[in-house]
Amino acid sequence: MKGCVFSTVRIFDTTLRDGEQAPGIDLTVEQKVKIARRLADMGVDVIEAGFPASSEGEFIATKKILEEIGDMTEVIGLSRANKNDIDKTIQSGLGSIHVFIATSDIHLKYKLRMTREEVLDKIYENVRYAKDHGMVVEYSPEDATRTEEDFLLTAVKTAIDAGADRINIPDTVGTMQPFKFYDLIRKIVGVAGDKIISVHCHNDFGLATANSLAGLFAGARQVHVTVNGIGERAGNASLEEVVMGAKKLFGFNVNVKTWMLYETSKMISQMTGVPVPYFKAIVGDNAFGHEAGIHVHGVLENPSTYEPLTPEEVGNFRRIELGKHSGIHGLKKILDDQGIYLDDISLREVLAEIKSMADRGEKITSEDARRIALKYVTH
């Protein structure tokens, strides 16, 4: 399987558009501007500020985001393939536009009520219209991965003929799997010439990150992501997972300052009210957590024994926990950090008490360890 030849991946963040479309997430203009500033500071290449034609609030937020960070990174707005939407996006002051229209038969029949020929006309007409107004145009064939392949390739070539600068391939309902997605992206790259191919993957089967990385390996040069993977239904490809996977597993360069990932994740969680799962890769509180004695011993000797990347790389923290699987090395580390030093016999007695508590279903804290250990300190 032949991989890509480029080295730098463009990170297109859609937290403020696709992420905010999730039910229950409604950000104020001020919150959107604050998040955009954070994303720009972190180094994402493109920020999708919103859908300017969808509401007056979205239009205002898009303008304010552009004013705030337009000199730091590319700011783009979503638009349906119609002139009213495109005009509204132009009026917001943006220089980049993300135009979409669906191409799958199910969308054509039940949503658009259009023929394939009518859709191709819409693609050409509206991409050309945006280009004639001086816009950088990214075109998305919505539901691309459920579109008949020959028609999808025709839609892509139509957008390119109309002047599209980038082509984004959305796995709109997350039904792709990495091997098939790799093959599809290779074919699209093959007809796109020097145009940037992008991927946009949803997580309905838990494969958004895997599919995104497969797309990059196949030659896509840009990837759509959201912080914490927030988005409609099961969410989108997670920024932190895709960035670190691209960097650590595939050796791609990214412009994102990875040490800002953890705090950015917490910030988005607080603003949206959506908690970060405890076991979330990269930014979850247990991503660098250890309890089992064998693991803790290894990590204390050399973190790479059980950590494929360091918590410092992503701004997270290593956490040594106590429970019924704990060993002497972890307990000693926790007590040493509190200035309590015990001999091996005393440590084993403290550990026995801790395991007894854990066997009764009690959660053990470092304060519990301190309280028990102090009984064995020789004064």
Side-chain angles (χ1 to χ4, degrees):
M1 192 161 64
K2 185 180 179 182
C4 62
V5 296
F6 67 95
S7 62
T8 301
V9 170
R10 289 167 52 91
I11 301 300
F12 179 121
D13 185 276
T14 184
T15 301
L16 295 173
R17 199 278 298 171
D18 207 337
E20 196 192 11
Q21 285 181 196
I25 299 179
D26 293 294
L27 300 168
T28 66
V29 172
E30 291 72 23
Q31 286 175 319
K32 293 191 73 163
V33 171
K34 186 174 182 181
I35 290 170
R37 166 61 72 173
R38 177 72 182 189
L39 293 170
D41 287 343
M42 193 165 65
V44 303
D45 300 281
V46 187
I47 294 174
E48 192 164 42
F51 189 169
S54 65
S55 74
E56 189 61 22
E58 278 288 279
F59 180 77
I60 293 169
T62 300
K63 285 177 65 70
K64 286 189 175 294
I65 288 168
L66 181 64
E67 291 168 5
E68 182 76 14
I69 63 162
D71 60 342
M72 298 174 65
T73 191
E74 180 182 341
V75 181
I76 196 168
L78 186 70
S79 171
R80 288 167 296 194
N82 68 65
K83 291 181 180 178
N84 288 336
D85 275 22
I86 294 171
D87 286 342
K88 195 70 173 177
T89 303
I90 292 169
Q91 290 163 21
S92 73
L94 292 175
S96 297
I97 190 168
H98 178 194
V99 177
F100 76 96
I101 189 170
T103 51
S104 67
D105 287 337
I106 191 169
H107 276 248
L108 267 62
K109 180 178 180 180
Y110 293 102
K111 186 182 75 173
L112 298 177
R113 302 187 187 280
M114 297 171 67
T115 66
R116 289 183 174 184
E117 291 72 23
E118 288 171 330
V119 167
L120 293 176
D121 287 343
K122 277 281 188 183
I123 293 169
Y124 190 91
E125 174 188 341
N126 287 282
V127 169
R128 187 69 255 163
Y129 182 75
K131 286 302 297 180
D132 286 344
H133 285 77
M135 305 291 280
V136 172
V137 179
E138 180 162 330
Y139 166 67
S140 286
E142 186 186 12
D143 207 23
T145 56
R146 293 194 298 175
T147 300
E148 189 270 323
E149 190 175 287
D150 286 342
F151 181 60
L152 176 61
L153 294 175
T154 299
V156 167
K157 287 186 278 190
T158 299
I160 291 172
D161 288 344
D165 301 280
R166 303 192 293 257
I167 302 294
N168 177 58
I169 304 301
D171 186 22
T172 301
V173 292
T175 55
M176 260 292 154
Q177 47 95 336
F179 305 104
K180 286 178 64 178
F181 200 48
Y182 173 90
D183 290 339
L184 178 63
I185 298 303
R186 291 289 292 173
K187 290 175 183 176
I188 292 169
V189 168
V191 302
D194 61 353
K195 303 298 182 182
I196 291 174
I197 299 301
S198 178
V199 294
H200 176 115
C201 299
H202 280 265
N203 205 38
D204 298 76
F205 287 89
L207 292 172
T209 295
N211 284 328
S212 296
L213 293 174
L216 292 176
F217 192 61
R221 289 186 275 162
Q222 178 179 275
V223 57
H224 287 206
V225 294
T226 62
V227 177
N228 297 333
I230 64 172
E232 298 190 82
R233 303 182 315 279
N236 290 61
S238 161
L239 181 150
E240 52 279 356
E241 293 175 13
V242 170
V243 163
M244 295 312 294
K247 181 178 180 180
K248 302 291 286 189
L249 301 179
F250 289 86
F252 293 129
N253 296 321
V254 292
N255 293 320
V256 170
K257 301 176 181 71
T258 62
W259 62 89
M260 296 176 68
L261 289 171
Y262 179 73
E263 286 302 323
T264 302
S265 165
K266 293 297 183 187
M267 173 185 172
I268 300 302
S269 176
Q270 290 166 1
M271 286 193 177
T272 60
V274 179
V276 178
Y278 183 63
F279 293 106
K280 179 80 164 66
I282 313 299
V283 294
D285 282 345
N286 197 59
F288 299 92
H290 308 277
E291 178 190 315
I294 294 172
H295 284 222
V296 171
H297 185 195
V299 165
L300 292 177
E301 290 295 322
N302 184 331
S304 64
T305 53
Y306 288 101
E307 291 176 353
L309 63 155
T310 70
E312 293 81 9
E313 286 181 86
V314 297
N316 206 333
F317 305 90
R318 183 173 298 114
R319 296 164 179 85
I320 306 298
E321 304 289 348
L322 293 169
K324 62 183 179 181
H325 304 104
S326 294
I328 288 293
H329 295 89
L331 174 60
K332 185 176 186 303
K333 167 67 173 169
I334 287 171
L335 293 177
D336 284 356
D337 286 347
Q338 298 182 76
I340 300 172
Y341 306 99
L342 300 179
D343 58 40
D344 283 353
I345 294 175
S346 297
L347 280 170
R348 294 188 184 281
E349 291 180 359
V350 172
L351 185 61
E353 286 196 45
I354 285 172
K355 290 193 173 193
S356 178
M357 291 172 64
D359 283 336
R360 296 195 298 271
E362 298 180 41
K363 181 170 175 59
I364 314 302
T365 67
S366 58
E367 280 301 309
D368 293 322
R370 176 183 177 84
R371 174 179 52 77
I372 297 168
L374 287 176
K375 296 188 298 185
Y376 295 89
V377 173
T378 302
H379 296 286

